[in-house]
């Protein structure tokens, strides 16, 4: 977070160590569930493909068909494995081929506690993040100064890997983890509630433009720190971009 005046102190938003450790633990649980659900799918998908196992008017018909008709390269998700196992245990006995029933129940008994643990931890972690972002937004709005933000669809930018997205897998996962779009929405909502202007500006060249002299460094790649080829000013990439965003917002306002 930076001001349009580069002399003002910059503030960095850190993700807490507790949050990161919790996410790492959730990821470990998820990997375990993914692996076991994949194995379950390899067993039950051929059995479900042997014929129509449920009448079309059955409330679980579409769900079971989605498992049976999944392409060979699509593994069974642990969410579907849990849903199938829960149904078998509670209501579905005798509804599907016996081997499918037995394997689904065995999976549920062996993994349901892990599933609920990762689900509850995930909800807790994301609620913690949401609360942190609301507090940050509240502190910003209390300054009663216009706020500039980039106009960019961060949720798509974080999750989609295509020829137009140069972010690597780790960078995309990290950006998805900290959810900048959630922070920006918290700021927008607080600004609207308190009557503080939140101005969106184009993202183009916010990082590449030197905030000291205005020259665009066309050769800048993914470097975190860079030196302006024109005036030799030393820049932290994000701090420099934040100043440019603030200035563009002032101009737009």
């Amino acid at each position: 977070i930076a001001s349009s005046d580069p002399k003002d102190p910059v503030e960095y938003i850190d993700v807490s160590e507790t949050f990161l450790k919790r996410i790492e633990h959730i990821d470990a649980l998820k990997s375990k569930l993914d692996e076991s659900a994949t194995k379950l799918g390899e067993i039950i998908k051929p059995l479900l493909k042997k014929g129509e196992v449920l009448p079309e008017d059955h409330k679980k018909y579409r769900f079971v068909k989605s498992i049976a008709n999944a392409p060979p390269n699509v593994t069974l998700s642990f969410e579907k494995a849990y849903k199938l196992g829960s149904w078998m245990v509670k209501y579905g006995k005798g509804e599907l081929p016996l081997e499918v029933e037995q394997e689904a129940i065995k999976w549920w008994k062996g993994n349901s506690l892990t599933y609920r643990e990762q689900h509850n931890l995930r909800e807790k972690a994301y609620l913690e993040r949401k609360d942190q972002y609301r507090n940050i937004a509240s502190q910003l709005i209390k300054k009663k100064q216009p706020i500039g933000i980039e106009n960019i669809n961060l949720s798509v930018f974080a999750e989609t890997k295509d020829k137009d997205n140069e972010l690597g897998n780790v960078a995309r996962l990290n950006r998805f983890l900290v959810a900048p779009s959630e922070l920006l929405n918290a700021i927008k909502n607080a600004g609207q509630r308190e009557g503080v202007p939140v101005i969106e500006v184009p993202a183009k060249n916010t990082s590449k433009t030197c905030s000291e002299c205005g020259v665009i460094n066309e050769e800048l790649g993914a470097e975190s720190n860079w030196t302006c080829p024109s005036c030799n000013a030393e820049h932290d990439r994000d701090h420099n971009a934040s100043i440019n965003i603030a200035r563009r917002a002032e101009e737009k306002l």
Side-chain angles (χ1 to χ4, degrees):
I1 301 173
S3 166
S4 56
D5 183 352
K7 294 178 182 178
D8 288 347
V10 63
E11 178 184 352
Y12 287 90
I13 301 169
D14 295 320
V15 178
S16 72
E17 191 68 25
T18 303
F19 179 80
L20 288 175
K21 286 181 177 178
R22 184 175 291 143
I23 291 296
E24 287 173 1
H25 181 53
I26 292 169
D27 285 344
L29 295 176
K30 183 177 178 296
S31 295
K32 179 183 175 183
L33 290 168
D34 278 332
E35 184 178 346
S36 61
T38 297
K39 292 178 180 177
L40 173 64
E42 290 170 353
I43 296 171
I44 67 173
K45 281 168 70 175
L47 299 171
L48 294 174
K49 281 183 176 294
K50 288 182 179 178
E52 298 292 339
V53 295
L54 291 174
E56 290 190 17
D57 59 351
H58 195 286
K59 63 180 182 180
K60 293 292 184 181
Y61 174 79
R62 289 175 180 257
F63 171 64
V64 172
K65 289 294 287 184
S66 71
I67 297 174
N69 293 338
N73 63 326
V74 176
T75 59
L76 180 67
S77 69
F78 67 83
E79 290 91 350
K80 283 190 174 182
Y82 181 81
K83 188 175 180 181
L84 177 66
S86 297
W87 172 46
M88 289 287 99
V89 169
K90 296 175 183 177
Y91 314 108
K93 290 182 179 178
E95 299 263 25
L96 296 178
L98 181 60
E99 190 175 352
V100 174
E101 178 184 311
Q102 290 174 338
E103 292 294 335
I105 291 174
K106 184 169 72 172
W107 188 94
W108 188 89
K109 287 181 177 179
N111 294 280
S112 59
L113 290 178
T114 303
Y115 174 87
R116 288 197 290 272
E117 181 186 2
Q118 73 86 29
H119 177 77
N120 291 336
L121 285 174
R122 187 173 182 269
E123 289 298 308
K124 187 174 181 179
Y126 290 162
L127 284 173
E128 176 189 319
R129 184 182 68 192
K130 186 179 229 180
D131 185 58
Q132 179 189 6
Y133 286 176
R134 283 178 173 172
N135 287 336
I136 291 169
S138 176
Q139 293 304 312
L140 274 176
I141 296 302
K142 282 180 181 177
K143 296 179 181 180
K144 298 295 182 182
Q145 294 292 320
I147 298 170
I149 60 176
E150 283 184 324
N151 183 8
I152 184 170
N153 188 344
L154 283 167
S155 61
V156 173
F157 191 42
E159 297 179 80
T160 303
K161 180 66 177 174
D162 55 37
K163 65 180 187 299
D164 297 323
N165 186 348
E166 297 179 356
L167 283 180
N169 290 335
V170 173
R172 288 186 298 111
L173 289 172
N174 285 342
R175 188 166 285 184
F176 179 66
L177 169 66
V178 298
S181 57
E182 187 174 297
L183 173 59
L184 294 180
N185 285 334
I187 293 171
K188 288 178 186 177
N189 291 337
Q192 186 176 34
R193 185 172 61 248
E194 299 298 328
V196 173
V198 178
I199 303 124
E200 293 186 271
V201 300
K204 186 176 181 181
N205 292 333
T206 51
S207 296
K208 294 181 178 182
T209 302
C210 175
S211 57
E212 292 286 340
C213 69
V215 166
I216 298 174
N217 182 359
E218 297 290 359
E219 303 302 317
L220 183 64
E223 297 88 355
S224 297
N225 297 281
W226 60 281
T227 302
C228 177
S230 177
C231 70
N232 294 319
E234 299 287 337
H235 292 302
D236 170 284
R237 184 190 191 95
D238 295 327
H239 186 191
N240 178 68
S242 298
I243 294 171
N244 289 328
I245 292 166
R247 286 176 176 167
R248 289 184 185 184
E250 278 188 326
E251 291 168 4
K252 191 172 181 180
L253 184 65

